[in-house]
Amino acid sequence: MVSKHLDRINREVERIWKSNGGAECWDVHALDSLNAGFHGLIAETAGQLEEWNVELGAREELQQRILSALPESDRIKELWWNEQRAFYTDLLERMDTYFNYDDTAVVTFSINALEILFLVRLLIEEGVLQTETLQPVFRYLSRYGHTERYSKLSFDSLKKRYSLRHDGSRKKVKQILTNMIKRIDQGPPRG
């Protein structure tokens, strides 16, 4: 939640600046509060970085021990390298989440989940969205996507429902796209 913490500190700087304006607002209490916020953030981040460093060190030791005794079997080697890739992918995702995830950031769709998924399918099939797997799409939608009816979209539910064909969704998305084409034909609004 580093991004949230940084946003909070940034808002505090802006609040202090706007409260009086000029140099008068930067009193000892304001400075102490800001500095304490930064120290807290740095300590939290340093602790997390140290945790990852220990984890990576253990992984390196494991790799050295196993690499020196890795059997010649191609299947075992494949399993080993797949496991290494999974470790690094997981670590990268956890780091990305730690530094960038903000659970207050949302995108609200005025269409339901099946309609969103149908639209995503069209975007992928037409090459507008390019992705090797659907996981990043589902991850993004489950982290930040909301509908007017549901405040949270489930990763697993999106994954299961992606393949479903639903005539109502198809009709709704078709109407939305038709409306968009009409807007394009009308040109940009004047003014």
Side-chain angles (χ1 to χ4, degrees), residues 108-112 146-151:
T108 302
F109 294 93
S110 63
I111 55 179
N112 68 36
H146 294 202
T147 64
E148 291 174 340
R149 187 171 176 194
Y150 296 104
S151 62

Side-chain angles (χ1 to χ4, degrees), residues 40-74:
L41 176 62
I42 291 167
E44 175 191 331
T45 305
Q48 182 59 66
L49 291 173
E50 182 54 32
E51 209 174 288
W52 287 329
N53 197 36
V54 168
E55 182 181 358
L56 190 59
R59 174 57 58 152
E60 288 173 315
E61 185 176 332
L62 177 67
Q63 288 168 340
Q64 289 171 2
R65 290 174 188 236
I66 290 179
L67 280 175
S68 64
L70 195 61
E72 292 298 316
S73 163
D74 287 341

Side-chain angles (χ1 to χ4, degrees), residues 6-20:
L6 286 171
D7 287 343
R8 195 175 315 124
I9 293 170
N10 190 40
R11 285 192 305 272
E12 183 65 10
V13 169
E14 290 301 313
R15 187 195 64 74
I16 292 168
W17 183 254
K18 291 177 181 175
S19 66
N20 277 338

Side-chain angles (χ1 to χ4, degrees), residues 11 36 42 50 60 67 74 80 90 93 113 119 122 125 173:
R11 285 192 305 272
I42 291 167
E50 182 54 32
E60 288 173 315
L67 280 175
D74 287 341
W80 167 250
D90 176 64
E93 187 171 318
L119 187 57
L122 289 175
E125 288 175 358
V173 170

